[in-house]
Amino acid sequence: MPDRLCPDCEVAMAEATHETTSDAAKLRVDAAGRSRLHGRSGSKVQAYVCPECSLVRLYAAG
């Protein structure tokens, strides 16, 4: 995947992991690792975080 750039800082964003809570009401994003959604086909996304300003963006995977 091409580098994602922060629209505010214009620096490369880092891949991040994300998880939903057990009731799927919240999304948690962790800045170390790859994404994983639990068995929901058609809803895979990849999270990216800016190391400068902490902006988080989600992009459709694949």
Side-chain angles (χ1 to χ4, degrees):
M1 172 151 301
D3 284 341
R4 301 287 185 179
L5 295 178
C6 175
D8 298 328
C9 302
E10 298 183 359
V11 299
M13 297 179 81
E15 280 192 30
T17 60
H18 57 83
E19 295 179 17
T20 57
T21 58
S22 61
D23 64 358
K26 296 180 182 177
L27 179 68
R28 190 183 91 199
V29 177
D30 295 321
R34 294 195 151 277
S35 69
R36 193 179 344 172
L37 288 178
H38 307 286
R40 304 281 302 184
S41 76
S43 59
K44 295 190 185 240
V45 295
Q46 177 61 56
Y48 289 84
V49 63
C50 176
E52 298 290 322
C53 70
S54 300
L55 173 73
V56 174
R57 286 202 151 183
L58 300 175
Y59 291 90

